[in-house]
Amino acid sequence: MIEANNPQLKSWIEVHPKSDFPIQNIPFGVIKTAQNGALPATRIGDYAIDLKLLESEGFFNDILDQMVFQGTNLNTFLGCGKNKWSAVRQRISELFRAENALIPDNESLRKFVLHPITEVEMLLPVQIGDYTDFYSSREHATNVGKMFRDPDNALLPNWLHIPVGYHGRSSSIVVSGTDIHRPKGQLMPADAEQPVFGSSRLMDFELEMAFIVGKGNKLGEPIPVEKAEDHIFGMVIFNDLSARDIQKWEYVPLGPFLGKSFGSVISPWIVTLEALEPFRTESPDQEPEVLPYLKGNKQSTFDLKLSVDLQPENSSATQICQSNFKYLYWSMAQQLAHHTVNGCNMQSGDMCASGTISGPKEHEFGSMLELSWKGTKPLKLADGSERKFINDGDSIIMRAWNEHNGIRIGFGESKTKILKSR
């Protein structure tokens, strides 16, 4: 057992039993306080913990050979590699255990190192250099193929052989709590002969998770599938907002562009793969057999419960989706191995999203496109209203978590409101 994951551990910080952030989690993020700018931080319960201050006080001197938490993002720390990430997480665990009185007995340190989560602003945790969006859910790809192509041949010929992906726009990835305006672009109405310009009428979400690259690789040096997880620091919830009508007109022959690049929303805390170890499970069987560079050892993934709530303005929320990360056909290790097999160099802070995560049952579909089946089956919300796609004023709230041995590990939430077009 990883010592910091021990379910018997308790913190001297009070933690609600249903909190996503017990001492066994120790996620990493960046906060902004009233007194300071951006600060690298971790979280236990309802308190953010200032890692810049802990580093300045010398708590990581025997672990790190450089100062990594003095900047405004986590990129330098991510470049330190897996052993350093684990050692820092272990040290934080030791400092905040119930039996360790070092910080509680130091009134001044305790006062300045802890920040109530309600009094901080969450920022993007990393500077995202590049962003790739994969298309790794067989159920989602099959649903889309049935809707828009041949239902008997829903998957394209390459889908079962490679983790399909495209290079997205990193600058429009924002942190939870950021509202997004409905985009404008070219649309091709069903009864039209020429495209028109206007606001998207088919706004959608995509329920995804994304992994953050830790230590990168040199140009020309692929990352083997067996070593891929050593280069993955952790994960966030990823809401890949999509304008389906703009996307439908533009995606041939080169793929998504304006229909995807107007905004994607992540949860602010990066949960490490180490913290997720209790939820490791086998990936789905792959048939036909994949090529050797994607094979390695038996692929594994994580059993993470996912949900989406839709909340109209001035009304209560309705849960409209429940899915699971374990449904993904292509694992994160396979995604990263494929991404780099041509020699592509990944860098610390790069982000790779999973693609929409849909399950086999209708309530597990990870987008409005599927839940309403292209608008033919409107969803009934708690306030009595119906939705085929997302209305202005609607908020989308995504969550990810699971429990093991009585310990809940979660990601918090990714939340955004859709505003009317500018």
Side-chain angles (χ1 to χ4, degrees):
M1 180 188 293
I2 298 168
E3 185 180 345
N5 292 358
N6 187 339
Q8 302 303 317
L9 295 178
K10 302 291 183 184
S11 174
W12 49 264
I13 296 174
E14 184 177 355
V15 180
H16 189 277
K18 290 298 181 181
S19 171
D20 280 358
F21 304 103
I23 193 172
Q24 291 83 0
N25 192 336
I26 310 181
F28 292 85
V30 173
I31 63 172
K32 181 180 179 181
T33 69
Q35 296 77 29
N36 298 286
L39 297 172
T42 186
R43 177 176 177 176
I44 296 178
D46 291 330
Y47 286 90
I49 297 164
D50 184 345
L51 294 178
K52 180 178 181 179
L53 178 57
L54 290 182
E55 183 177 56
S56 298
E57 292 292 319
F59 287 107
F60 306 127
N61 284 355
D62 59 328
I63 298 173
L64 302 170
D65 53 13
Q66 61 176 323
M67 302 291 271
V68 301
F69 295 125
Q70 302 304 302
T72 58
N73 56 55
L74 295 168
N75 291 56
T76 302
F77 178 50
L78 268 57
C80 293
K82 183 178 180 178
N83 291 339
K84 300 294 186 183
W85 309 333
S86 181
V88 167
R89 183 169 174 267
Q90 172 67 17
R91 179 58 49 81
I92 296 169
S93 173
E94 294 167 353
L95 288 171
F96 290 89
R97 292 177 193 176
E99 62 270 21
N100 191 337
L102 182 61
I103 293 178
D105 287 351
N106 185 331
E107 185 176 348
S108 176
L109 179 58
R110 176 173 177 163
K111 176 181 177 181
F112 289 105
V113 80
L114 295 182
H115 299 276
I117 203 67
T118 54
E119 297 178 11
V120 303
E121 177 186 353
M122 299 305 305
L123 305 178
L124 279 176
V126 296
Q127 181 178 338
I128 306 166
D130 275 305
Y131 151 57
T132 299
D133 191 21
F134 284 95
Y135 189 50
S136 292
S137 165
R138 183 170 187 168
E139 289 81 3
H140 173 67
T142 300
N143 288 338
V144 172
K146 287 178 178 178
M147 278 187 262
F148 294 103
R149 291 190 295 273
D150 179 2
D152 295 325
N153 295 282
L155 294 179
L156 290 171
N158 66 346
W159 200 93
L160 293 172
H161 295 276
I162 61 173
V164 175
Y166 77 94
H167 191 200
R169 182 78 186 174
S170 61
S171 64
S172 54
I173 297 175
V174 297
V175 74
S176 177
T178 305
D179 297 335
I180 300 293
H181 286 270
R182 182 179 297 267
K184 292 182 177 180
Q186 286 195 25
L187 318 170
M188 177 59 93
D191 55 352
E193 295 183 0
Q194 296 291 328
V196 299
F197 178 79
S199 299
S200 170
R201 302 167 188 170
L202 306 182
M203 273 292 294
D204 201 355
F205 64 83
E206 292 193 349
L207 171 60
E208 306 189 25
M209 300 293 289
F211 69 79
I212 313 296
V213 175
K215 196 173 182 65
N217 60 306
K218 294 180 180 179
L219 182 66
E221 297 184 3
I223 296 174
V225 68
E226 300 90 346
K227 301 289 186 182
E229 284 196 1
D230 292 346
H231 293 263
I232 298 174
F233 177 70
M235 298 170 63
V236 294
I237 305 169
F238 193 92
N239 180 359
D240 189 22
L241 293 167
S242 301
R244 297 298 186 188
D245 38 9
I246 296 174
Q247 180 184 359
K248 182 180 179 182
W249 173 236
E250 72 182 0
Y251 86 101
V252 178
L254 293 182
F257 186 39
L258 301 185
K260 293 278 193 176
S261 61
F262 61 93
S264 299
V265 188
I266 68 168
S267 53
W269 296 103
I270 306 173
V271 179
T272 64
L273 294 196
E274 187 175 272
L276 296 174
E277 277 298 326
F279 311 114
R280 191 176 286 277
T281 187
E282 287 189 353
S283 294
D285 291 334
Q286 295 182 320
E287 181 64 36
E289 187 175 1
V290 299
L291 292 173
Y293 80 95
L294 291 171
K295 198 171 181 181
N297 301 322
K298 171 66 178 176
Q299 294 303 310
S300 65
T301 185
F302 298 97
D303 181 2
L304 298 174
K305 299 177 181 180
L306 311 175
S307 70
V308 181
D309 287 5
L310 190 62
Q311 184 175 12
E313 198 163 27
N314 302 318
S315 187
S316 57
T318 303
Q319 187 174 94
I320 59 173
C321 169
Q322 295 176 331
S323 190
N324 197 298
F325 184 72
K326 69 181 180 181
Y327 292 144
L328 285 179
Y329 187 84
W330 295 103
S331 71
M332 292 185 289
Q334 289 175 317
Q335 291 169 352
L336 188 55
H338 181 67
H339 202 320
T340 63
V341 73
N342 67 341
C344 175
N345 54 321
M346 308 295 287
Q347 299 177 320
S348 298
D350 285 355
M351 188 173 293
C352 292
S354 61
T356 305
I357 305 170
S358 294
K361 300 177 181 178
E362 289 188 9
H363 72 274
E364 297 173 322
F365 293 171
S367 66
M368 290 297 290
L369 179 68
E370 298 164 90
L371 289 166
S372 73
W373 206 255
K374 207 168 58 171
T376 63
K377 300 177 180 179
L379 300 183
K380 179 82 74 173
L381 303 185
D383 65 357
S385 63
E386 292 185 341
R387 292 292 185 279
K388 296 179 180 179
F389 289 91
I390 305 299
N391 287 356
D392 292 344
D394 287 349
S395 293
I396 306 139
I397 307 156
M398 296 182 175
R399 298 183 177 90
W401 77 99
N402 209 338
E403 294 187 17
H404 181 73
N405 287 333
I407 301 299
R408 177 186 173 108
I409 302 293
F411 291 75
E413 65 181 28
S414 168
K415 181 176 183 178
T416 188
K417 179 186 285 189
I418 301 303
L419 306 179
K420 66 180 181 180
S421 295
R422 292 186 185 277

